Amino acid sequence: MSTARTTGLLLMIGPVATLVVWMGLWPALIGGGETPAEDLAAMLANQQLSLILGALGTLAMLSMFIGYRMLTGSLQGDENAGGSYAQIAGMLIVLLAAVTLASSGLQFGVMEVGSEGNFELAAILQSGSDNIGGMNAFFWGLATSLIGLALVMQKKVTPILAYLLVVIGVVGMITFFVEMPDVVGMVMWVLWSAATVALGFFTYKAAN
């Protein structure tokens, strides 16, 4: 399978799988709470299922990051307009993927420590897992905007989709500085996911 087709498939499958796991299966089967301690209790009540869903959700998110990293690689080069934007975005995507893995690793550690009865330490680790990505919104938004700009300049996809990525990225950066209702973040995540699937479709189609 060609690199472009693989990129397209990752960008299409990753967002859908992520939404299914974290916004569908996890709330329905595991639940959660308002505090790290309540989240911990919910996970320990279904520890094996939490491990499975956590691994699947992490894999789904990494699929998106890998897809975007492969996409930025195809947009780079001094001969390509906006190639430097794509290169910077690619570096940020790698960092975001690393933070995602760190958060997931802490969460798996939380369940191990909690299952041993050390709930105080487990709650502290859970808080760390929840907050280790505290700056993700800004750098995710910056990477998304840069990818959108590169796509605009290279005319790789329909302009509406490219500009939508730019706007979503800018709004994402703003939410880091301005507190907004949780529903705004959820809407932006769904829009970004839909745009990512559309981007994957165009990438896959162009490879045929």
Side-chain angles (χ1 to χ4, degrees), residues 177-200:
F177 297 102
V178 180
E179 186 174 354
M180 294 186 181
D182 290 341
V183 67
V184 175
M186 185 173 296
V187 168
M188 295 307 299
W189 180 261
V190 172
L191 281 175
W192 181 71
S193 298
T196 300
V197 171
L199 182 57

Side-chain angles (χ1 to χ4, degrees), residues 22 26 43 54-55 57-58 61-62 65 95-111 122 124-134 136:
W22 295 121
W26 188 277
M43 287 189 293
T58 301
M61 293 181 69
L62 289 178
F65 290 134
L95 294 175
L96 290 168
V99 172
T100 297
L101 276 176
S103 177
S104 295
L106 278 173
Q107 197 163 65
F108 292 148
V110 163
M111 286 183 277
I124 293 173
L125 290 174
Q126 179 61 38
S127 179
S129 175
D130 290 341
N131 292 284
I132 195 172
N136 274 10

Side-chain angles (χ1 to χ4, degrees), residues 97-155:
V99 172
T100 297
L101 276 176
S103 177
S104 295
L106 278 173
Q107 197 163 65
F108 292 148
V110 163
M111 286 183 277
E112 183 177 351
V113 172
S115 65
E116 295 172 353
N118 195 339
F119 298 107
E120 184 176 351
L121 176 58
I124 293 173
L125 290 174
Q126 179 61 38
S127 179
S129 175
D130 290 341
N131 292 284
I132 195 172
M135 294 192 70
N136 274 10
F138 179 80
F139 290 107
W140 158 78
L142 178 58
T144 300
S145 294
L146 290 172
I147 291 171
L149 287 172
L151 291 170
V152 168
M153 298 173 72
Q154 296 185 26
K155 299 180 173 63

Side-chain angles (χ1 to χ4, degrees), residues 48-92:
Q48 195 61 39
L49 184 57
S50 296
L51 286 171
I52 293 171
L53 290 180
L56 290 175
T58 301
L59 178 61
M61 293 181 69
L62 289 178
S63 296
M64 288 190 295
F65 290 134
I66 293 170
Y68 267 113
R69 178 63 188 88
M70 293 174 70
L71 176 69
T72 58
S74 70
L75 300 175
Q76 294 176 24
D78 291 338
E79 71 280 4
N80 294 326
S84 60
Y85 297 158
Q87 186 171 12
I88 295 171
M91 294 177 184
L92 293 175

